[in-house]
Amino acid sequence: MAGEVLVSLGDLRQALALLLDEIEKRHGKVIDLDADYYWTIGAWDAFRLGAVGVPEPTVGQLTDDVRSMRDMLTAPGDRTMVVWHDLAHVIGILNRLAALDRPSLEER
């Protein structure tokens, strides 16, 4: 399976821009995430479906995610990015945006 699922980073960038534009239309330029702690599993476990056992969830924190994102944006240009770690923080924020946009059970 390796090498069979390819993604263009240009396409991904464009898709994220479209989604963020739509979120802005629906929720405004600044969004109250209205939560802090959340369940997550590490990316290193999420794709090991054949591994023995079920991955243990850990706890993420949106205040930490937002702070880390802001630090990334304001850090000096020579900051070494730890991509897996920085992405994990952004993914936490994106997951919350998805949860906020999802219709509640009463609306379905």
Side-chain angles (χ1 to χ4, degrees):
M1 187 67 163
E4 294 178 19
V5 182
L6 305 175
V7 65
S8 158
L9 292 181
D11 289 349
L12 180 59
R13 185 176 287 112
Q14 185 177 0
L16 287 170
L18 289 170
L19 287 165
L20 292 173
D21 288 346
E22 186 62 27
I23 290 167
E24 186 175 349
K25 282 184 211 171
R26 293 180 186 190
H27 300 280
K29 289 184 180 286
V30 177
I31 300 169
D32 181 357
L33 298 178
D34 196 30
D36 197 9
Y37 294 96
Y38 60 92
W39 293 111
T40 185
I41 59 171
W44 47 90
D45 282 331
F47 297 95
R48 296 184 324 127
L49 298 179
V52 177
V54 177
E56 289 290 324
T58 58
V59 175
Q61 188 176 12
L62 288 168
T63 51
D64 183 42
D65 295 339
V66 170
R67 183 177 41 251
S68 293
M69 179 191 68
R70 287 179 181 152
D71 289 348
M72 181 175 53
L73 294 172
T74 60
D78 60 348
R79 173 187 179 267
T80 301
M81 295 195 79
V82 182
V83 174
W84 70 267
H85 185 259
D86 293 331
L87 273 174
H89 286 295
V90 172
I91 289 166
I93 296 167
L94 292 174
N95 274 330
R96 183 58 185 159
L97 293 174
L100 288 171
D101 195 68
R102 184 174 186 235
S104 67
L105 292 175
E106 295 83 32
E107 295 175 24
R108 289 191 263 162

